[in-house]
Amino acid sequence: HIPKFTAMRDPTLLSYFGMTGEQNRRKLADMFLRPTTWGDYCTQVSSNNCQTPDTVATRAPIDSSEQTKMFVEGLYTGHFRKTEKNDCDRYPTNCTGHIADYPCGWTSFIKQQTSHLNIALQSDGTQAAAGYTHSQLLEMWAAANATKSNIIGLWWTPEILYSRFKNTDAELLPVTLPLPTQQCIQSRVSMDARCSANISAQIGDPAGACDDSPQILQKLISTALVESINDADIALTRRSPALDTIKRFKITQYQVGQFFEYWLAIGKDRHSHDPREAACQWFVENFDYIIDEFVPKGYPRVFQEDKNKGASLFIISLSVACLSALFVLGATCTTFLQRQKPIISLSQIEFLFIVLAGLLLVSIGAIIQAVPPTNVSCVLSVWLIYLGSTMELVPLIVKVAAINRIMHAAKKMKRVVLNRRNLFGAVALLNFIMFLFLIVWTSLDTPRQDSEDVLSDTVTAMGEKIIYLNPYCNGGFVGWIYAALAWNVILLLTATVLAYQARNHREEFNESASLATMIYSHFVFLVLRLITYLLENFNGWKQADLAWIRSLIFSLDVIATLSIYFVPKFMRKEKPKQGNFGFRQTAEPCLSSILNMEAAMSRESLAAAGLDDSTFPHTRCASLTFSQSVMQNYEKELLQSDSQPCRCQMDEERSSTQIALGVSSDKPSRLGDCDPLKSLQPPARAIPQVDGPDQISQ
């Protein structure tokens, strides 16, 4: 570069054509004189060693640091002079003008360019490779401006010195050299060769004597920044825009020059240039440009809770959940009021209440899942739903398994002893397994409130994109949920097998139809729940919406269970009772042996009833049919006689099971798989107390 005032004196200097060749040697030597340090001026130029002030120096330097100065404002204006190297009269072929070169560690190809282009310019710095320090270069350009002396040297733009002299007569103008090529760039001298003491190595290849190539600024981005921003655990809506901003960041040479102009305009400290204040000023004045060019699309962002999203689904799920809870409470009250009803009592009312308690827990869990979540409600809903589902199914499984055991033993005329404590113990044990599972789950991976971010197209008055927050319960590792679903599947499969085994039982004990329908219903709702968990991996489905859908599924599952299993029991009408035993129509006089019940009838009682031995052939599976008149006489005999023609033997210490025996009024019944009557002598015990045709206390 050369100052503008130098170019105005000789415009040919703006190109290497005006400097190359022997014809321009003297011109360069005469125009570009050697700069003189403050110390050299006082010792070599001043007549009195700067003892008296002159137009160049007001005093002598006081220390070694001042002696090397090229310019000190107010004290030393700088001085350019001819030396022997500028004397073309004495050295016509070796005289040179002066050029200010960079220090050795900086990138410079001055020697290679001037030597091979035959430009008579040479640097005389005290640094290695005849370079100058950065401070000396700044002082040299300031001295040239103060004294309006010609100067040529290396400099770069944009930079503070360039901005300082901009639009003045000292403005730096570039000198054009041959255009750079790839071959020229590859032929440049290396840094080691430039700083070596070997002159030939410093000059290098003639092919490298071209102008500087455009310098493309590179962006250095730390891999730690990239990894932290692209962390898979951070939601896309919450990731920092820093990486995209850096990628989009670009600034022109002119804009960088504006920074320097702002620095200089502040004028407080020219060397530190107040960069922060200048940057803030530039940012304010170029705010629109920065937002449009630097800030990624969709930023800045602001988080707001979405109060309208899914309002209808929230209302529906909460309403149905409350309805299911009321339905359970109503079913509980009805069960208690109809507890004397045979169909209710035979279903074991204690087990029914456990089932209803489980359904109530599920309903309450559905209500909690429908309302806005908290850390406490997230844990509570998990406990209520999964523990309630287990409490609902386990009593039915235990009861049906016990009935199947009794029926199987009855066919073989074997005695079966059922302990009520054991039945309830089995129910408690299976529920305890789920209890332990829930403890482990909520202890190791506690469900907690989380929020799902939804980037909307809505913009605030400040131009911020709104991210709506949809809170939901995060259950942690999805394996816990799948394990709980697998437990429900195991219970349903077990209930399915037991219901299939009970398909041929007597009507009073046969719940296979209602159980099968209820199990099918549970399977359908379980599959729907599984689908909601799978949908979490697909875009477009919000966690909050899926939570409301699951609440609706739980509620409908409870309502379906009550409608299938309990409502038919409530609606069933019992047949009217007639007579002491209700044996007004054709009936079975011999009671089938189910729980080790043995039928016995004495010959005397048969005779009193108008029957003979031929009525009961001593063969297995005999069909017995009585007329109404015979049954009336038989009924009277039972009431008047101390004999016991038909008795049910039981274990008095274990009298805990009630079994109903239905009697068909239009079809004769067969005795099933029973032994021939062996003892016809009635025992001395009284007739068992019988409440009606459908119930006998065992």
Side-chain angles (χ1 to χ4, degrees):
H1 290 81
I2 60 175
K4 183 178 180 179
F5 57 77
T6 299
M8 294 175 66
R9 294 168 183 168
D10 187 354
T12 61
L13 297 175
L14 292 174
S15 171
Y16 75 99
F17 291 111
M19 293 185 288
T20 187
E22 290 299 322
Q23 69 275 15
N24 291 313
R25 180 181 292 274
R26 181 177 291 274
K27 179 179 68 172
L28 296 177
D30 292 339
M31 291 193 68
F32 300 110
L33 306 180
R34 260 67 184 182
T36 305
T37 63
W38 192 1
D40 289 344
Y41 175 80
C42 291
T43 59
Q44 299 177 17
V45 179
S46 176
S47 60
N48 55 8
N49 295 328
C50 299
Q51 295 299 317
T52 59
D54 57 23
T55 58
V56 178
T58 60
R59 62 172 177 82
I62 60 176
D63 55 28
S64 59
S65 63
E66 288 188 346
Q67 289 181 354
T68 59
K69 295 289 185 180
M70 297 286 187
F71 175 82
V72 178
E73 189 172 3
L75 297 177
Y76 179 61
T77 62
H79 181 71
F80 292 84
R81 61 192 174 101
K82 274 189 175 184
T83 65
E84 289 185 351
K85 294 182 179 181
N86 295 86
D87 190 354
C88 292
D89 294 332
R90 296 180 61 184
Y91 309 103
T93 60
N94 295 326
C95 63
T96 60
H98 178 265
I99 186 171
D101 196 3
Y102 290 155
C104 181
W106 293 20
T107 301
S108 172
F109 308 104
I110 282 292
K111 286 190 177 181
Q112 188 176 22
Q113 293 166 336
T114 57
S115 297
H116 295 295
L117 293 177
N118 194 18
I119 298 175
L121 294 174
Q122 184 179 1
S123 179
D124 288 337
T126 58
Q127 301 292 310
Y132 293 92
T133 64
H134 178 246
S135 60
Q136 285 180 325
L137 291 172
L138 289 173
E139 295 163 359
M140 196 181 301
W141 286 100
N145 179 51
T147 60
K148 300 305 177 185
S149 300
N150 297 318
I151 185 175
I152 185 172
L154 293 181
W155 209 250
W156 69 97
T157 59
E159 200 272 337
I160 187 63
L161 180 68
Y162 180 87
S163 299
R164 180 184 302 172
F165 294 146
K166 186 177 180 181
N167 298 325
T168 67
D169 61 348
E171 182 177 359
L172 272 62
L173 299 179
V175 176
T176 59
L177 296 176
L179 293 177
T181 62
Q182 186 64 32
Q183 181 183 3
C184 175
I185 294 174
Q186 293 177 348
S187 302
R188 298 291 179 98
V189 295
S190 64
M191 183 68 68
D192 294 337
R194 179 177 177 272
C195 296
S196 68
N198 189 335
I199 302 298
S200 299
Q202 294 179 11
I203 294 175
D205 191 341
C210 61
D211 205 346
D212 292 338
S213 60
Q215 299 295 320
I216 301 177
L217 299 180
Q218 303 293 326
K219 303 172 186 175
L220 298 179
I221 302 177
S222 170
T223 56
L225 174 64
V226 177
E227 293 173 356
S228 62
I229 291 179
N230 294 331
D231 190 348
D233 295 333
I234 302 176
L236 292 176
T237 52
R238 291 182 177 268
R239 290 186 181 179
S240 170
L243 182 59
D244 291 337
T245 301
I246 294 175
K247 290 180 178 179
R248 293 168 61 92
F249 179 82
K250 59 182 179 180
I251 192 166
T252 64
Q253 182 173 332
Y254 168 74
Q255 291 168 331
V256 175
Q258 283 184 313
F259 276 103
F260 295 126
E261 292 175 7
Y262 292 149
W263 291 0
L264 293 173
I266 295 173
K268 294 180 180 179
D269 186 350
R270 289 188 176 183
H271 295 285
S272 65
H273 311 304
D274 302 296
R276 181 177 181 83
E277 187 172 347
C280 292
Q281 181 180 352
W282 185 90
F283 186 91
V284 171
E285 295 183 2
N286 297 272
F287 180 79
D288 293 336
Y289 171 81
I290 292 172
I291 295 298
D292 294 338
E293 297 295 329
F294 298 168
V295 178
K297 300 300 181 182
Y299 290 91
R301 297 174 177 178
V302 62
F303 293 91
Q304 292 183 7
E305 184 176 353
D306 189 0
K307 298 182 179 179
N308 297 322
K309 178 66 176 178
S312 58
L313 185 58
F314 162 71
I315 295 174
I316 293 174
S317 61
L318 182 59
S319 300
V320 176
C322 294
L323 179 62
S324 66
L326 293 176
F327 197 179
V328 174
L329 294 176
T332 304
C333 295
T334 305
T335 301
F336 178 77
L337 295 176
Q338 295 186 9
R339 64 187 182 279
Q340 299 298 334
K341 192 175 182 178
I343 190 64
I344 300 296
S345 61
L346 289 177
S347 298
Q348 296 299 310
I349 191 169
E350 296 90 346
F351 283 72
L352 294 182
F353 282 138
I354 297 176
V355 173
L356 290 170
L359 293 175
L360 182 60
L361 292 181
V362 175
S363 298
I364 297 175
I367 294 175
I368 294 176
Q369 197 166 48
V371 299
T374 63
N375 289 334
V376 176
S377 65
C378 290
V379 176
L380 190 59
S381 63
V382 168
W383 274 83
L384 293 176
I385 289 174
Y386 291 105
L387 187 59
S389 300
T390 304
M391 289 180 62
E392 170 206 349
L393 290 173
V394 167
L396 298 178
I397 293 175
V398 173
K399 185 185 74 171
V400 175
I403 293 176
N404 289 351
R405 180 186 175 193
I406 293 173
M407 293 300 180
H408 182 72
K411 291 180 180 180
K412 297 183 179 181
M413 295 299 292
K414 293 183 179 180
R415 181 184 296 272
V416 175
V417 178
L418 295 179
N419 191 316
R420 182 180 297 268
R421 180 178 300 176
N422 293 339
L423 297 180
F424 285 109
V427 174
L429 177 61
L430 293 176
N431 281 282
F432 185 68
I433 294 175
M434 174 53 67
F435 183 82
L436 291 179
F437 172 77
L438 291 174
I439 289 179
V440 175
W441 178 1
T442 55
S443 298
L444 299 180
D445 195 5
T446 306
R448 67 186 186 282
Q449 178 193 7
D450 204 343
S451 62
E452 187 178 32
D453 306 333
V454 180
L455 180 61
S456 68
D457 295 329
T458 308
V459 181
T460 65
M462 299 297 295
E464 301 166 320
K465 282 275 190 177
I466 296 179
I467 297 179
Y468 288 114
L469 300 177
N470 293 324
Y472 72 98
C473 286
N474 187 347
F477 177 54
V478 71
W480 298 109
I481 297 175
Y482 289 139
L485 293 177
W487 171 256
N488 286 346
V489 170
I490 293 173
L491 295 180
L492 291 175
L493 291 176
T494 304
T496 302
V497 174
L498 294 175
Y500 178 79
Q501 293 176 350
R503 67 191 185 281
N504 294 324
H505 291 172
R506 293 178 64 91
E507 181 182 358
E508 292 79 0
F509 306 101
N510 194 341
E511 294 182 332
S512 59
S514 60
L515 281 178
T517 305
M518 186 179 69
I519 292 169
Y520 177 78
S521 172
H522 279 312
F523 265 119
V524 170
F525 288 112
L526 188 143
V527 171
L528 292 177
R529 287 162 52 193
L530 179 60
I531 291 175
T532 62
Y533 290 113
L534 296 177
L535 290 177
E536 292 180 353
N537 301 321
F538 293 90
N539 294 330
W541 289 93
K542 307 300 184 294
Q543 294 284 358
D545 294 344
L546 293 176
W548 288 328
I549 293 175
R550 292 189 198 106
S551 173
L552 188 60
I553 291 174
F554 287 126
S555 302
L556 294 177
D557 193 6
V558 171
I559 294 174
T561 301
L562 293 173
S563 301
I564 294 171
Y565 189 75
F566 284 89
V567 172
K569 297 182 185 297
F570 300 153
M571 302 297 293
R572 180 173 177 177
K573 295 182 179 180
E574 300 296 331
K575 297 178 181 180
K577 300 179 181 181
Q578 299 180 8
N580 292 335
F581 288 85
F583 290 4
R584 300 299 184 184
Q585 307 294 331
T586 304
E588 290 182 353
C590 185
L591 307 179
S592 300
S593 195
I594 297 178
L595 290 174
N596 299 308
M597 181 177 65
E598 299 175 355
M601 184 176 293
S602 65
R603 294 182 181 276
E604 292 80 2
S605 297
L606 289 174
L611 305 175
D612 54 20
D613 294 344
S614 62
T615 306
F616 295 93
H618 296 279
T619 59
R620 299 177 66 84
C621 302
S623 176
L624 304 178
T625 305
F626 292 88
S627 64
Q628 181 177 4
S629 60
V630 171
M631 288 307 302
Q632 291 175 350
N633 294 332
Y634 176 62
E635 183 179 342
K636 294 179 181 179
E637 180 65 17
L638 286 175
L639 295 176
Q640 296 174 0
S641 175
D642 292 336
S643 64
Q644 191 176 13
C646 187
R647 66 184 180 87
C648 297
Q649 185 172 349
M650 70 170 188
D651 190 337
E652 294 181 353
E653 289 77 18
R654 301 183 181 272
S655 55
S656 62
T657 306
Q658 293 183 335
I659 298 179
L661 300 178
V663 178
S664 176
S665 61
D666 54 350
K667 294 182 181 180
S669 180
R670 298 184 180 276
L671 191 57
D673 189 11
C674 57
D675 289 335
L677 300 178
K678 297 180 180 180
S679 175
L680 299 180
Q681 182 64 32
R685 292 183 295 180
I687 299 175
Q689 183 64 36
V690 180
D691 295 334
D694 299 328
Q695 185 176 20
I696 294 181
S697 299
Q698 295 296 310

